Amino acid sequence: MKLADILIAILVAIIWGLAFVASRIALDEFSPELMTAMRFLIAAVPCLFVRKPKIAWSLLIAISFTLFLGQFLSQAYGIAHGVPVGLTSVVVQSQALFTIGFAALAFGERPTPVQTLGVVIAAVGLLMICGTVGYDFSVAAFGVLMIAPVSFAIGNVLLRGARGVPMFDLFAWLCLTSAVPLFALALAVDGPAPTWQAVIHMSLRGLMCLLVIGAISTSIAYWLWGRLLRDYPAAQVVPFALLVPFVGSAASSIVFGEKFGPLRLAGMLTVIGGIAVMVLVRRPHALPNTA
């Protein structure tokens, strides 16, 4: 990879890691449903200038509801209900484990022995993290959070059906398709009056956080990531995503004073180690590009 593209990949990882912190701050003002809806509404602004990609509405909605709505709503819910930001960033990246499994079921792509080892290592790490659940956050919050990597992985597999369409256009319309039902959900859960009051009385800090996670993390960063995946093999690009949980955990430690007990820290490192084995090993058949 060119030096400039390496720096872009690192920048994207940093943006995504910091977005977890921005989400946590935004959740002080907004419900998970409203924050996620606002995130995608901001990221969907390019739909005013680009046409819908030439893919079926059914596929567009399926990708949107898994890759975006399901993933980010469950993230927001978990964080809002006490799951630490650093831990959340690690759990979300475990999507690599599920992507390999779903690709095997959907396309008959059998993982290599080394990939299988990586899956086992990551699974052990998740079990170690599960052993710490219930102390500072509930089992229910962690259970909802686990929807995020599963949805992420399903979305990755569904992206196979969108080959050949412009990624920027696709992601903009995926955001719009997510924003509409999320606003309806926010109105149903929070009520019209509280939803409207939260929007018109948002603080400057809340607005800045929404712009970070909507315009920068979702729209710009995903576009840059898509460009890298277009120009280079996924095996060269995807490993940079391993920086995300480190950035997220470090930023959370600095901003919120987040600390990890020995078992949780060991579990987080084990998950990242398993993911590293999965994505760094050479494999004969490429998995779907991660978003």
Side-chain angles (χ1 to χ4, degrees):
M1 293 178 65
K2 298 177 181 179
L3 177 60
D5 290 331
I6 292 174
L7 294 176
I8 289 174
I10 294 173
L11 176 62
V12 170
I14 293 173
I15 290 172
W16 282 343
L18 295 178
F20 284 96
V21 174
S23 296
R24 171 64 185 83
I25 296 173
L27 285 166
D28 289 337
E29 297 188 31
F30 308 103
S31 68
E33 297 82 8
L34 181 56
M35 188 204 74
T36 312
M38 294 291 289
R39 171 185 197 144
F40 289 126
L41 180 64
I42 293 171
V45 169
C47 288
L48 296 172
F49 311 101
V50 298
R51 293 184 177 181
K52 171 185 168 291
K54 293 183 178 180
I55 64 172
W57 275 106
S58 58
L59 179 59
L60 184 72
I61 292 172
I63 298 173
S64 174
F65 278 31
T66 52
L67 189 64
F68 279 172
L69 190 153
Q71 179 196 168
F72 288 103
L73 180 59
S74 56
Q75 279 185 42
Y77 182 91
I79 294 173
H81 288 79
V83 182
V85 171
L87 179 60
T88 300
S89 65
V90 174
V91 171
V92 171
Q93 287 305 315
S94 69
Q95 57 84 18
L97 181 161
F98 297 102
T99 299
I100 290 176
F102 291 143
L105 291 175
F107 306 116
E109 295 178 348
R110 292 189 177 184
T112 66
V114 179
Q115 284 180 323
T116 303
L117 174 62
V119 169
V120 172
I121 293 172
V124 169
L126 285 176
L127 290 175
M128 294 169 68
I129 292 172
C130 288
T132 70
V133 173
Y135 292 98
D136 51 350
F137 57 90
S138 68
V139 175
F142 186 74
V144 173
L145 175 62
M146 283 303 302
I147 296 174
V150 175
S151 294
F152 196 165
I154 296 173
N156 282 339
V157 174
L158 290 175
L159 272 175
R160 276 278 183 89
R163 283 179 173 173
V165 302
M167 284 294 104
F168 184 81
D169 299 7
L170 174 62
F171 283 126
W173 279 84
L174 289 175
C175 290
L176 179 63
T177 311
S178 295
V180 173
L182 280 167
F183 269 111
L185 181 61
L187 291 172
V189 173
D190 302 333
T195 298
W196 175 247
Q197 291 297 318
V199 172
I200 65 174
H201 290 108
M202 74 172 72
S203 68
L204 179 60
R205 184 179 73 165
L207 175 60
M208 293 303 296
C209 287
L210 288 177
L211 290 175
V212 167
I213 62 177
I216 299 177
S217 174
T218 306
S219 186
I220 296 176
Y222 269 90
W223 170 60
L224 291 173
W225 191 254
R227 282 187 53 201
L228 293 173
L229 287 172
R230 179 197 64 191
D231 297 337
Y232 298 98
Q236 292 185 24
V237 179
V238 172
F240 286 97
L242 292 175
L243 297 174
V244 175
F246 288 105
V247 174
S249 299
S252 179
S253 178
I254 294 171
V255 176
F256 306 118
E258 182 178 339
K259 296 181 180 180
F260 310 101
L263 180 59
R264 183 174 295 174
L265 180 60
M268 291 167 67
L269 292 175
T270 302
V271 170
I272 295 172
I275 296 171
V277 171
M278 284 183 264
V279 302
L280 294 178
V281 65
R282 291 181 178 272
R283 47 189 180 273
H285 300 290
L287 288 172
N289 291 340
T290 55

